Amino acid sequence: MPKVVFLDQGLRGDLPEGITALEAAHRLGARISSICGGAGTCSTCRVECVVNPQNLSPMEPLEDAYDMGPGVRLGCQARIHGDVGLRTVKIPRAVLS
Ligand code: FES
């Protein structure tokens, strides 16, 4: 089972291979947003993989559409296939005027 660490929240655990980063966050009790419930349509579940990014599934076309920057993935789309170190990514609130 892969070791999954949320570096920004001091959480870690051994979780089943193939689990999404969002599911991993929920199981470990990490604070992460997921407004669309994992449908891939809100982009609030962003995570940055800072250790062993090669152990995540390849980028989905859906993720490319968000232009999230290097190393940043949608937690609900990125599946974990080996040990990884992750950080949740906070998205600033939109300012409406
Ligand atoms: S939970 Fe909405 S895009 Fe991942």
Side-chain angles (χ1 to χ4, degrees):
M1 286 210 273
K3 292 189 187 328
V4 180
V5 180
F6 280 87
L7 297 159
D8 59 321
Q9 300 187 39
L11 299 167
R12 61 164 290 180
D14 297 326
L15 296 173
E17 195 274 338
I19 192 171
T20 67
L22 179 61
E23 292 168 336
H26 288 159
R27 287 201 191 189
L28 296 177
R31 293 179 309 279
I32 188 168
S33 183
S34 56
I35 290 172
C36 74
T41 57
C42 72
S43 88
T44 60
C45 61
R46 296 178 189 195
V47 295
E48 179 182 15
C49 190
V50 294
V51 179
N52 295 334
Q54 73 278 9
N55 286 340
L56 293 181
S57 57
M59 286 280 283
E60 296 290 334
L62 179 63
E63 294 177 272
D64 285 330
Y66 288 109
D67 190 22
M68 297 179 286
V72 180
R73 304 286 308 272
L74 291 182
C76 65
Q77 303 299 309
R79 293 193 177 275
I80 296 169
H81 297 294
D83 298 351
V84 289
L86 303 168
R87 280 195 198 119
T88 56
V89 176
K90 307 280 186 293
I91 302 173
R93 288 177 188 246
V95 178
L96 303 176
S97 57

